[in-house]
Amino acid sequence: MGTSVIKRSSLIRKLERKHDLSPVTSEAMVKTILDKMTDSLSKGRRIEIRGFGSFELRFRSPRKARNPKTGEIVQTSGKHSIHFKPGKEMKERVNNI
């Protein structure tokens, strides 16, 4: 099984063809969706797309880590990371490959 990357430009072209949209319209749709998702996550809100999955922020506490080059122990700062949880329909489709 190989790796597949869906580029923003190919998503825009698929919208154009499937829904007979202009390139400007389909690009605006994709940009609006991605901007809205980014805005929601940056405000700490959870995003749920039924049948696909949900995105939420999780806080990673500060911790002690080791610099792999020098072996020196360093203190990392806490940070938020985005967590994706696939929905039931996606899990079922992926498991039936």
Side-chain angles (χ1 to χ4, degrees):
M1 194 182 324
T3 302
S4 177
V5 176
I6 297 175
K7 295 180 183 175
R8 182 180 179 142
S9 58
S10 64
L11 180 59
I12 290 168
R13 282 195 303 276
K14 283 184 183 188
L15 276 173
E16 288 173 33
R17 287 192 299 266
K18 187 170 183 174
H19 299 288
D20 195 28
L21 300 170
S22 73
V24 172
T25 302
S26 57
E27 183 174 3
M29 291 172 66
V30 170
K31 182 179 180 346
T32 300
I33 291 167
L34 296 177
D35 286 348
K36 194 68 174 164
M37 291 177 72
T38 301
D39 186 51
S40 292
L41 285 170
S42 69
K43 292 178 180 174
R45 296 185 187 136
R46 182 176 183 271
I47 300 169
E48 182 177 335
I49 303 171
R50 301 271 167 124
F52 182 72
S54 61
F55 298 86
E56 65 183 6
L57 288 181
R58 293 201 175 158
F59 185 72
R60 296 180 66 185
S61 300
R63 63 185 177 88
K64 291 182 180 173
R66 189 176 301 275
N67 180 332
K69 262 188 179 174
T70 64
E72 176 187 5
I73 294 178
V74 294
Q75 182 69 35
T76 64
S77 56
K79 66 179 184 176
H80 286 92
S81 64
I82 300 170
H83 175 75
F84 174 73
K85 180 179 178 183
K88 180 181 176 186
E89 184 179 323
M90 178 186 276
K91 284 182 194 176
E92 289 172 355
R93 288 181 70 181
V94 168
N95 285 323
N96 288 328
I97 292 177

